[in-house]
Structure formats: C-alpha cells, structure tokens
Amino acid sequence: MRKNLGAKPYIYPQPVLIVATYSEEGKADAMNVAYGGIVNSNRLQINIGVRHKTSDNIKAKGAFTVGIADVKNLVAADYVGIVSGHDEPEKMEKSGFHIVKSEFVDAPVIQELPVSLECKVEEINQYDATLRIVAEIVNVSADEAVLDEAGNIDPARLGAISYDPAGHKYLKLGEAVGTAFSDGNQLK
Ligand SMILES: Cc1cc2nc3c(=O)[nH]c(=O)nc-3n(C[C@H](O)[C@H](O)[C@H](O)COP(=O)(O)O)c2cc1C
C-alpha cells in the first residue's frame, strides 16, 4: 500500500553541490546546495536563499563554481552548509578548503573537491525568498585521480555524496547497476 507524505522536496538522489564565490572585495565563500541540477548540456541551476552571503556574491560577480562533494570532504562540505560567511569571516580557513581562482570565471575553485564546474550567470529570478539562478557551464576541471583510462570521470573513484532530505543523511554514490540508453532495449 502507498502512503501520502505530503508536499516535500523528495527527489532522490539529491546532490551535494559546493558553490564557491568571491565577494565584491574578492573574499572567497562557499555554501552547500542540494536544490540544484542540470538544465541542459551546457547549463545548470541552483536555488538558494536570498539572504546567504553566496547570493550577494553571485549578484556582485555574476559567476560561481560548483564542486561535487565527496566522501573525503564530507565534514568540510557540511560545515560550509551550516555556517554563513555573513557570521564567520574565517569560514573558508576553518573549512580547510584551499582555493585558486578559476581560469574561466571570476570565482574560486576548491582544490580538495575532485570535480568543479565553472559557471557564468545567465539569469536570476526570485521566488519568495529563494533565488533561482541559471548559469552557463563554461568549463569543468577534474582531478586526474578520479578519471578512468579514457579520461572520463569514474563515479567509483569520485565517491560523490548525495543528500537524503528525509533522514538528513549523506549517502555515498558510485556503484554501477546498469547501462543507460541500453538496458531498456530488452523491452523493445
Ligand atoms: C545538506 C545541505 C543542503 C543545503 N541546501 C541548500 C540549498 O539548496 N539552498 C540553500 O539556500 N541553502 C542550502 N543549504 C544551507 C546553506 O548551505 C547555508 O545556509 C550556508 O551557511 C550559506 O552560506 P553563506 O551565507 O556563506 O552563503 C544547505 C545546507 C546543507 C547542510
């Protein structure tokens, strides 16, 4: 029997995206974002509260990077999701994340996160107290340690984590259980 759970944001898996920005003065910040995803092959969106420091930074710079959080960096990823740059001037230092400026956009790339999508803002719309930000992905950089022999991202090596919005847990991703655009052929 099915049970109605009400109106909840229960999409699975939900990502753990670490959005990194610079303020107008060039100070780095980062936050944890679950409400985000791909729009099309060269665009993504993030949905973030209007009062976050990150929101001010994105409006000021029109750019951000998205690091894929992994098991190794879980504690730092959670930290940047529970402390605001508005309240903690040493947020990045305390997180332990190290940054270098992106070669492509005016935003920091977090060195510890193995995959980073470098993004240029195209559109910002406000819904209630949330900004829906659509951005162009202008580059993706990846640590060679998570690439396979063909140069593609290997999910098992990446060890990305997902956010469980019902249980507030982080889940590990990476086990392949099928082949996309192929397994369905059995039913044709
Ligand atoms: C697992 C997790 C997911 C989160 N997802 C979002 C999100 O999708 N949108 C949002 O506005 N805040 C989200 N947050 C909260 C922000 O990351 C948090 O408020 C952060 O401190 C904002 O930092 P800033 O003010 O320095 O930008 C999430 C936090 C956690 C721990």
Side-chain angles (χ1 to χ4, degrees), residues 17 19 21 31 33 35-39 43-66 119-127 129-137:
L17 308 175
V19 173
T21 54
M31 74 174 276
V33 173
Y35 294 177
I38 286 298
V39 172
R43 280 187 185 84
L44 58 73
Q45 65 161 304
I46 55 169
N47 298 279
I48 63 174
V50 69
R51 281 190 291 275
H52 296 318
K53 179 68 181 157
T54 301
S55 302
D56 296 345
N57 293 356
I58 288 176
K59 285 178 188 165
K61 294 287 186 177
F64 59 91
T65 67
V66 172
C119 303
K120 205 176 266 180
V121 172
E122 288 187 333
E123 224 181 88
I124 303 181
N125 288 296
Q126 187 165 343
Y127 300 92
T130 299
L131 302 178
R132 174 173 171 265
I133 300 169
V134 175
E136 182 190 357
I137 303 162

Side-chain angles (χ1 to χ4, degrees), residues 18-153:
I18 306 303
V19 173
T21 54
Y22 285 125
S23 71
E24 206 154 19
E25 301 75 35
K27 190 171 172 60
D29 189 31
M31 74 174 276
N32 185 322
V33 173
Y35 294 177
I38 286 298
V39 172
N40 65 8
S41 57
N42 65 333
R43 280 187 185 84
L44 58 73
Q45 65 161 304
I46 55 169
N47 298 279
I48 63 174
V50 69
R51 281 190 291 275
H52 296 318
K53 179 68 181 157
T54 301
S55 302
D56 296 345
N57 293 356
I58 288 176
K59 285 178 188 165
K61 294 287 186 177
F64 59 91
T65 67
V66 172
I68 307 299
D70 62 350
V71 176
K72 279 188 204 155
N73 294 289
L74 185 155
V75 172
D78 194 55
Y79 171 79
V80 299
I82 55 180
V83 171
S84 173
H86 283 311
D87 306 322
E88 176 51 81
E90 304 302 315
K91 179 174 175 179
M92 291 308 283
E93 291 78 359
K94 286 196 169 183
S95 75
F97 282 144
H98 297 89
I99 51 147
V100 292
K101 188 177 180 301
S102 160
E103 288 172 44
F104 298 88
V105 297
D106 193 1
V109 174
I110 295 176
Q111 294 301 280
E112 286 77 7
L113 299 178
V115 176
S116 178
L117 293 83
E118 296 156 65
C119 303
K120 205 176 266 180
V121 172
E122 288 187 333
E123 224 181 88
I124 303 181
N125 288 296
Q126 187 165 343
Y127 300 92
D128 304 322
T130 299
L131 302 178
R132 174 173 171 265
I133 300 169
V134 175
E136 182 190 357
I137 303 162
V138 297
N139 183 55
V140 177
S141 64
D143 188 327
E144 281 175 341
V146 303
L147 300 181
D148 64 18
E149 292 63 35
N152 295 317
I153 292 169

Side-chain angles (χ1 to χ4, degrees), residues 153-166:
I153 292 169
D154 174 356
R157 295 182 213 190
L158 176 59
I161 54 174
S162 160
Y163 169 58
D164 164 17

